[in-house]
Amino acid sequence: MDKILEAVVMSSYPNNVKQGLVRRVIEAAKQPMDSEQCWSMLELSTKLYLTGDTKYKREIGKEVLEVYGHYHPEEFEEFFNVRFLLSLLQEGYGPLGKRSNYVLDYIQLGLQFVLESPSANSIFSLLRIEVLRKVCERPSPKQCAKISKLLTQHPQCIPTGKHQLLFCQQLIRCIGQFQCVSEGEEDIMEFLEQVNKVSGLLQRIWRTQTSAILPSLKELFTIISSTEEQEVPSNALASVVQFVPLELMDGVIRNLTNDDSITDVQMMTAIGRMIDWVSWPLGKNIDKWIIALLKGLAAVKKFSILIEVTLSKIEKVFSKLLYPIVREGALSVLQYMLLSFQHSHEAFHLLLPHIPRLVASLKKEDSNSAASSLEQLAELIHCMFFRFSGFPDLYEPVLEAVKALPIPNEDRIKHLLGQNAWTSQKNELACFYPRLASKSETGKIGLINLGNTCYMNSIIQSLFMASDFRHSVLNLTEGNSQPLMTKLQWLFAFLEHSQRPAISPESFLSASWPPWFTPGAQQDCSEYLKYLLDRLHEEEKTGKRIYQKLKESSLMSQAVEHHYLNKTLIEKMFGGKMMTKIRCLKCLNVSSREEAFTDLSLAFPPPDRLLRESTSVLPVEEIGPQFIKPPENPSQLTGSPWIRRKPPMSGEPAAPPMLVETVGFREPGEQANPLSSDAVGVDAAKDPLSAFGEQACGPKDSRSVLDLINYFLSPERLTAENKYHCEKCASLQDAEKVAELTEGPHYLILTLLRFSFDPRTMKRKKILDNVSIPVVLKLPVLITPEETEDVCQHGKDRAAPESGFMSVMYDLCSVVVHSGISSESGHYYCYSRECTDTIAHGHPRDGTPKTASDKQLDFEIQWYLFNDTRVSFSSFESVSNITSFFPKDTAYVLFYRQRPGRQSCPLHEALAEAGRLHGEPSLHKDLMEAISKDNILYLQEQEKEARNRAAYISTLPKSPLWWRDFDRDKDDDSSSGGCSPAAGGGGSGSFHGLVF
């Protein structure tokens, strides 16, 4: 019968004819048959099953074997013996070089017919040993899956005792070597199915033998932490972790992170490879294990590992958000990585170039998964904006991409940041602040944030960029008996000459720290600035005078020279004077008091002062408020205008206006505006209401610095509880108080009073109004008759002969920005430019005004953005638009420099002249030596860090280039199906790139 069957199978008849003949043979096999005939048929069917060159032949062999196993069990048991099986497993079946790949399938097929036989236990014992041996030989994924299928169907064959533990460990090592060599989607799906079968066997063993779990995981960690492997362990290992019970997670992570035998390099290698598992499409709970290990490392303060791994892997994790099949897990890992990486902006900034493209891709996908991910991603981005403010140039494209998505409230943001931080102790991360390999391309140096010290950093950078002040400080000689000024000199010198990308202001912080400030808490930068300038002023004033005197102008009289030489450096640079006058409205008596100031605190006018109708937009903006009737005796006011807050009463004439102006810029050949500073004259004085109505304004309901200054200079009515005690009347009377500038400072500091106390919440709230900032500002300064005569003799500008006011022009040089909604929180950064006396700023000596083209150059001076350690190029456009893009980022402290020329006082001309003559300050010997030594030390540190980083990074697992995911998404817009970035499917190439 075996000959007949073999002849039929080998014949050239059509398969349907063969099938009929084979059916007859099989039916005959169900009848009683002698032992020899059974053996012949079993040998033939074994041959067909194991070496058949077609699927048809193997199917016939399988069918015949099943018939003989069922109808001739004794003969089948005798044939299917231990010796035969041992030969199959150890030597194989078939000719050399063409051994059958179906031995395991054959054994699985035959086992079902010998389960009750006396030889069953012997067969099981043999298979327990042989499957362990097979696994130790590292079979292919396909063979490994067959072993798993065999053992899953016949668990009696699973190794027991110590062999079982060894089997689990070796099976994990097999999985670690699995590789899918094909990029075809069908082949990949088959590979994933094979991996699932193998990991499913592990799950079955762990269910019945939980003691095998921890040793298995230890083997897994050994594999992924190895730095000696020639090949990177397969991501298929992710399939193992998904079956580990989550209740074991805490213990496993605790043991790993507290194991002293595991080196940092091994741990970093392991977590790096685990993070790569987010691309495994069939894993469950993988993100939970990755996050748990990251949290475990944070708990034992392994911050260097966390930083290195986050920076090297976060872009790859981010790219996986393109794929719906792994998006949920990748987003969870990304959220933790970003929200925990709070000591530096580096990780978030790595993603900035890719966020707009990802958002566009998710919007295009138009699925529930994409919509949910977009909302979570937007929340994450706003958390990062909140934590790392001060990068408007980098954030604008990202903000534009997510502008239509929901914005979380501040409580939600603080909750997320507080919940995920590595540590609540900021000083523990002090040594891990952003690593900057080299100086900023701007050539400027940043300042390290020492724990909410951005308020100090922004003030120091603004003072440093005040070039006249910086030169004066750097020119101080040794032994000047000014310890705080000396520390500032050293800090300025390092900012000027250090090779470091950023330096620590720790020494200056401790010396200039206001005693009521809380360490580690955010502070008001304006409050710090006032305290600092006052300290420096008092230090010099008490006898520790500047050693080197600035060269004074020959135009100065002895009295004037003596007056200015007695001033401290702070007075010379930032000091101005203001006259406060109070006029009794009954007797018209005026009392005056002059006081010095270093900054002007500008309150916001009430809304009814703001709303104006603009009939035209003019290049020159002039604010001419309304005025009240002057006293009958003009000498009482010495030419001072009295400005009303309310409209004048009928019959009250208006006095000439006092102007606060911004200077616009017009193209050459453009006609001068009738409201320009040189054109304001009798007409404007005659009808201040018309001038007021036609001024150039910002958008409706917007404010400008000019509004705030005019509000500051306008009279205040003292009535009711605020009545003034008039000495002449000897009683309380209604009065008006007005402030007038009598001496303009060289550097004008304006503080916008954005913080006010809210009695309802018992907190300081912030006024978030956008305030337009003029790049050039004209201020009215009251001058004495003697000064008026001097101004006339020297051809200098003045507003009107009878007014007693002179226009003083100022150039914007720094803007300190506060980001946040409270003075006790948020972040400070600053925009600065170096205003020096160039042709673009000064006026020719002959007194002729500079041309319009010269005025254009004011915008060409380079602006810089100082944000702690980061310094970048910027522009006045960025300064102007900051609040439009980021509503919580508002200008807070402004620095203006007085423009030399027609309006300057002798001191300011002397300062400017000294700066031109001295050029770059020469530092004293000790300071130069300290800078040189530190520069050498920095180079040595760089070399050491480069070696260490090379050793660290060489251990990181090599993985496919993450950006290919973005390029693929860009190029394959037309793809469709279950795994494409847009629809969840697509070409095999994209799927292969995802998994492997």
Side-chain angles (χ1 to χ4, degrees):
M1 189 179 292
D2 58 301
K3 301 295 183 184
I4 296 173
L5 179 62
E6 186 174 14
V8 170
V9 171
M10 298 302 176
S11 70
S12 59
Y13 292 126
N15 283 348
N16 60 337
V17 175
K18 290 183 184 180
Q19 191 64 36
L21 297 172
V22 169
R23 184 58 52 197
R24 293 183 182 181
V25 173
I26 290 175
E27 288 299 323
K30 295 179 182 179
Q31 305 302 318
M33 193 178 296
D34 61 62
S35 177
E36 184 178 349
Q37 183 63 47
C38 282
W39 270 74
S40 298
M41 287 297 289
L42 287 170
E43 285 179 344
L44 175 61
S45 59
T46 297
K47 178 182 177 183
L48 288 173
Y49 187 86
L50 291 175
T51 61
D53 55 1
T54 65
K55 184 178 180 180
Y56 176 72
K57 291 177 182 179
R58 291 195 297 274
E59 286 293 331
I60 291 176
K62 177 185 176 183
E63 198 169 352
V64 173
L65 281 169
E66 288 174 340
V67 168
Y68 277 84
H70 185 72
Y71 290 98
H72 306 283
E74 294 179 3
E75 287 80 4
F76 189 90
E77 181 183 344
E78 185 180 354
F79 179 81
F80 201 76
N81 59 65
V82 171
R83 183 179 298 175
F84 175 57
L85 294 181
L86 182 63
S87 171
L88 284 177
L89 289 167
Q90 292 191 352
E91 298 174 14
Y93 188 94
L96 287 174
K98 291 186 178 180
R99 297 297 193 191
S100 174
N101 293 322
Y102 299 98
V103 169
L104 291 169
D105 305 86
Y106 177 81
I107 292 174
Q108 181 181 341
L109 176 66
L111 274 179
Q112 60 183 311
F113 303 111
V114 297
L115 294 177
E116 305 297 330
S117 70
S119 63
N121 287 333
S122 299
I123 292 175
F124 294 155
S125 296
L126 169 70
L127 288 175
R128 290 188 199 110
I129 295 171
E130 285 301 307
V131 293
L132 177 59
R133 182 185 62 80
K134 281 279 188 186
V135 168
C136 289
E137 292 175 354
R138 305 288 180 267
S140 67
K142 189 172 185 177
Q143 290 301 309
C144 225
K146 289 182 177 182
I147 293 174
S148 300
K149 184 179 179 182
L150 169 65
L151 300 185
T152 300
Q153 188 169 343
H154 302 290
Q156 308 96 318
C157 303
I158 296 175
T160 57
K162 293 182 179 179
H163 285 168
Q164 186 179 81
L165 178 58
L166 180 61
F167 177 77
C168 289
Q169 292 173 327
Q170 293 302 317
L171 200 60
I172 289 172
R173 286 208 168 267
C174 284
I175 298 174
Q177 293 190 354
F178 285 178
Q179 298 295 336
C180 183
V181 295
S182 171
E183 293 191 4
E185 190 166 334
E186 289 184 6
D187 293 332
I188 292 173
M189 296 304 295
E190 183 183 1
F191 173 75
L192 294 175
E193 186 179 350
Q194 292 163 358
V195 173
N196 258 9
K197 286 180 180 177
V198 179
S199 57
L201 174 62
L202 278 171
Q203 180 190 23
R204 183 187 182 96
I205 296 173
W206 289 348
R207 279 178 180 170
T208 57
Q209 197 70 33
T210 55
S211 60
I213 297 178
L214 293 180
S216 299
L217 289 181
K218 187 174 182 181
E219 188 70 20
L220 172 64
F221 187 82
T222 301
I223 295 169
I224 62 175
S225 64
S226 173
T227 58
E228 300 173 358
E229 296 284 343
Q230 293 294 322
E231 291 186 5
V232 177
S234 171
N235 282 351
L237 287 169
S239 64
V240 175
V241 175
Q242 66 181 327
F243 295 123
V244 181
L246 292 179
E247 55 266 24
L248 297 178
M249 182 184 289
D250 290 343
V252 170
I253 298 300
R254 192 161 47 249
N255 289 339
L256 278 178
T257 54
N258 288 283
D259 189 341
D260 293 334
S261 66
I262 300 173
T263 67
D264 285 359
V265 172
Q266 289 174 321
M267 183 63 77
M268 186 173 70
T269 305
I271 186 62
R273 286 169 173 164
M274 282 183 68
I275 289 172
D276 286 343
W277 292 352
V278 297
S279 62
W280 186 256
L282 300 177
K284 297 177 181 177
N285 299 327
I286 294 171
D287 55 324
K288 294 182 176 66
W289 280 95
I290 294 171
I291 293 170
L293 184 52
L294 291 172
K295 287 182 176 179
L297 291 171
V300 295
K301 305 190 188 320
K302 296 284 188 180
F303 300 128
S304 59
I305 297 175
L306 291 167
I307 290 169
E308 290 291 343
V309 169
T310 300
L311 294 179
S312 63
K313 293 295 181 181
I314 195 165
E315 289 173 287
K316 183 173 184 181
V317 173
F318 182 79
S319 71
K320 299 309 168 189
L321 299 183
L322 287 167
Y323 303 95
I325 198 168
V326 297
R327 183 176 292 151
E328 184 179 355
L331 187 56
S332 295
V333 175
L334 179 72
Q335 283 175 322
Y336 179 76
M337 292 174 85
L338 275 181
L339 290 172
S340 62
F341 203 93
Q342 293 186 30
H343 71 288
S344 160
H345 55 258
E346 288 176 284
F348 178 51
H349 284 193
L350 286 174
L351 305 181
L352 294 180
H354 318 301
I355 290 175
R357 293 175 62 183
L358 177 68
V359 170
S361 178
L362 292 177
K363 287 180 178 177
K364 182 180 177 182
E365 183 180 317
D366 192 25
S367 67
N368 290 336
S369 166
S372 173
S373 298
L374 272 174
E375 289 191 8
Q376 294 178 67
L377 184 63
E379 182 177 71
L380 193 56
I381 289 169
H382 283 289
C383 284
M384 295 298 99
F385 283 168
F386 181 87
R387 179 64 187 87
F388 305 115
S389 55
F391 301 92
D393 50 337
L394 297 179
Y395 292 170
E396 282 181 19
V398 176
L399 190 67
E400 181 68 22
V402 301
K403 65 181 180 181
L405 298 170
I407 301 175
N409 60 43
E410 188 166 340
D411 289 339
R412 169 68 175 165
I413 290 174
K414 288 180 177 177
H415 170 72
L416 289 172
L417 292 172
Q419 189 180 44
N420 292 281
W422 285 337
T423 173
S424 60
Q425 304 299 318
K426 292 185 175 66
N427 59 340
E428 291 180 340
L429 289 163
C431 59
F432 297 111
Y433 278 84
R435 298 182 307 271
L436 301 170
S438 60
K439 256 189 183 181
S440 160
E441 60 181 351
T442 63
K444 304 295 182 183
I445 296 174
L447 289 169
I448 294 172
N449 191 314
L450 302 173
N452 278 332
T453 57
C454 53
Y455 67 90
M456 178 189 71
N457 290 349
S458 58
I459 291 300
I460 289 174
Q461 294 285 18
S462 297
L463 292 174
F464 178 79
M465 292 296 285
S467 54
D468 298 330
F469 178 64
R470 179 179 74 243
H471 285 193
S472 298
V473 171
L474 292 176
N475 273 319
L476 291 175
T477 57
E478 286 184 280
N480 56 64
S481 301
Q482 299 179 70
L484 183 58
M485 185 67 83
T486 299
K487 286 185 179 293
L488 182 62
Q489 181 190 40
W490 278 62
L491 183 56
F492 277 7
F494 272 82
L495 285 173
E496 184 92 8
H497 298 289
S498 177
Q499 292 300 313
R500 294 181 183 273
I503 59 175
S504 170
E506 186 174 4
S507 175
F508 187 76
L509 173 65
S510 60
S512 63
W513 183 275
W516 61 90
F517 277 16
T518 304
Q522 185 60 278
Q523 305 294 343
D524 188 329
C525 77
S526 174
E527 187 177 2
Y528 174 77
L529 174 61
K530 287 182 175 72
Y531 177 79
L532 175 62
L533 295 182
D534 186 58
R535 276 276 309 275
L536 293 170
H537 168 69
E538 291 298 327
E539 187 178 80
E540 183 181 351
K541 186 179 176 183
T542 53
K544 301 159 187 167
R545 296 200 173 274
I546 298 175
Y547 182 78
Q548 182 179 347
K549 303 296 184 180
L550 295 172
K551 182 180 179 182
E552 302 297 332
S553 169
S554 58
L555 295 175
M556 284 188 179
S557 65
Q558 289 297 319
V560 172
E561 183 175 357
H562 176 73
H563 170 69
Y564 286 126
L565 284 177
N566 283 330
K567 285 192 170 190
T568 66
L569 178 59
I570 299 304
E571 287 178 309
K572 291 177 182 178
M573 291 293 171
F574 305 103
K577 289 185 180 179
M578 183 189 307
M579 182 77 73
T580 303
K581 299 178 180 180
I582 301 178
R583 183 177 64 141
C584 174
L585 293 181
K586 182 178 181 182
C587 69
L588 300 181
N589 182 60
V590 176
S591 63
S592 303
R593 186 182 74 235
E594 189 174 54
E595 50 192 355
F597 68 88
T598 53
D599 81 312
L600 296 180
S601 297
L602 305 179
F604 280 69
D608 60 345
R609 291 274 309 201
L610 170 67
L611 300 176
R612 307 182 300 258
E613 292 297 324
S614 176
T615 56
S616 62
V617 178
L618 306 175
V620 178
E621 182 172 351
E622 300 171 352
I623 296 185
Q626 302 154 40
F627 303 93
I628 66 171
K629 181 179 179 179
E632 294 178 2
N633 184 0
S635 63
Q636 290 179 325
L637 298 184
T638 61
S640 170
W642 287 85
I643 311 170
R644 275 192 186 275
R645 291 192 180 180
K646 296 181 180 178
M649 298 179 184
S650 60
E652 291 183 337
M658 175 180 66
L659 300 174
V660 178
E661 307 166 343
T662 56
V663 178
F665 300 89
R666 59 180 183 270
E667 296 293 339
E670 184 182 342
Q671 289 187 351
N673 189 275
L675 292 183
S676 67
S677 59
D678 294 327
V680 173
V682 179
D683 292 340
K686 285 179 181 176
D687 188 3
L689 287 174
S690 64
F692 181 75
E694 293 181 8
Q695 63 183 304
C697 303
K700 188 175 181 180
D701 298 345
S702 70
R703 299 184 188 272
S704 73
V705 169
L706 306 177
D707 294 320
L708 274 59
I709 295 177
N710 279 292
Y711 184 63
F712 177 83
L713 295 176
S714 64
E716 178 184 0
R717 184 68 68 93
L718 305 177
T719 59
E721 294 179 357
N722 293 325
K723 282 189 176 183
Y724 166 68
H725 186 273
C726 175
E727 294 181 359
K728 189 173 181 181
C729 298
S731 61
L732 293 175
Q733 297 293 338
D734 288 348
E736 280 194 329
K737 181 172 74 173
V738 69
E740 296 169 341
L741 301 180
T742 57
E743 184 179 315
H746 186 59
Y747 283 100
L748 172 66
I749 301 175
L750 303 177
T751 301
L752 312 188
L753 296 179
R754 290 189 174 275
F755 301 110
S756 60
F757 184 76
D758 187 346
R760 290 185 298 104
T761 60
M762 301 301 289
K763 292 181 180 179
R764 293 178 74 193
K765 66 178 182 180
K766 180 179 176 182
I767 300 171
L768 294 171
D769 294 10
N770 192 1
V771 176
S772 60
I773 304 169
V775 70
V776 181
L777 181 70
K778 279 188 178 181
L779 279 183
V781 176
L782 183 67
I783 55 176
T784 63
E786 293 80 9
E787 289 174 321
T788 305
E789 185 178 350
D790 182 67
V791 166
C792 293
Q793 288 175 356
H794 290 88
K796 296 190 177 182
D797 187 27
R798 57 194 177 91
E802 69 279 3
S803 70
F805 281 89
M806 176 178 68
S807 293
V808 180
M809 190 173 288
Y810 283 90
D811 295 296
L812 181 67
C813 51
S814 287
V815 178
V816 178
V817 176
H818 177 264
S819 176
I821 61 170
S822 167
S823 61
E824 289 82 21
S825 63
H827 179 63
Y828 289 100
Y829 55 96
C830 75
Y831 292 92
S832 287
R833 63 173 181 166
E834 197 156 350
C835 292
T836 55
D837 300 332
T838 62
I839 295 174
H841 286 82
H843 288 274
R845 289 296 179 184
D846 60 6
T848 58
K850 63 181 181 179
T851 65
S853 58
D854 290 330
K855 292 180 179 180
Q856 299 263 354
L857 297 176
D858 283 294
F859 286 114
E860 296 173 6
I861 300 174
Q862 181 62 59
W863 282 89
Y864 302 94
L865 175 56
F866 294 89
N867 185 10
D868 290 334
T869 54
R870 181 179 182 267
V871 187
S872 58
F873 290 115
S874 191
S875 65
F876 182 68
E877 182 182 10
S878 181
V879 181
S880 304
N881 295 333
I882 181 66
T883 309
S884 302
F885 281 101
F886 302 93
K888 294 177 184 177
D889 291 30
T890 53
Y892 184 38
V893 179
L894 314 177
F895 287 72
Y896 281 89
R897 179 182 185 271
Q898 188 177 133
R899 180 178 290 190
R902 293 178 296 176
Q903 314 94 332
S904 298
C905 73
L907 168 65
H908 302 149
E909 291 185 351
L911 290 171
E913 187 66 23
R916 284 193 291 270
L917 291 176
H918 287 91
E920 287 300 318
S922 57
L923 306 178
H924 57 78
K925 182 180 178 183
D926 288 351
L927 185 47
M928 285 303 299
E929 287 180 357
I931 294 172
S932 298
K933 286 180 181 178
D934 185 69
N935 285 339
I936 293 171
L937 177 63
Y938 170 65
L939 293 175
Q940 294 171 344
E941 290 171 357
Q942 287 292 94
E943 291 174 2
K944 183 179 179 181
E945 184 180 346
R947 288 194 297 270
N948 292 342
R949 277 183 61 77
Y952 257 54
I953 292 175
S954 65
T955 66
L956 290 174
K958 305 296 185 295
S959 54
L961 298 177
W962 55 265
W963 58 79
R964 287 178 182 167
D965 295 312
F966 290 100
D967 293 338
R968 184 178 303 115
D969 178 53
K970 181 180 178 182
D971 297 337
D972 299 342
D973 288 341
S974 60
S975 65
S976 60
C979 298
S980 76
S988 59
S990 64
F991 192 74
H992 187 270
L994 163 66
V995 183
F996 311 107

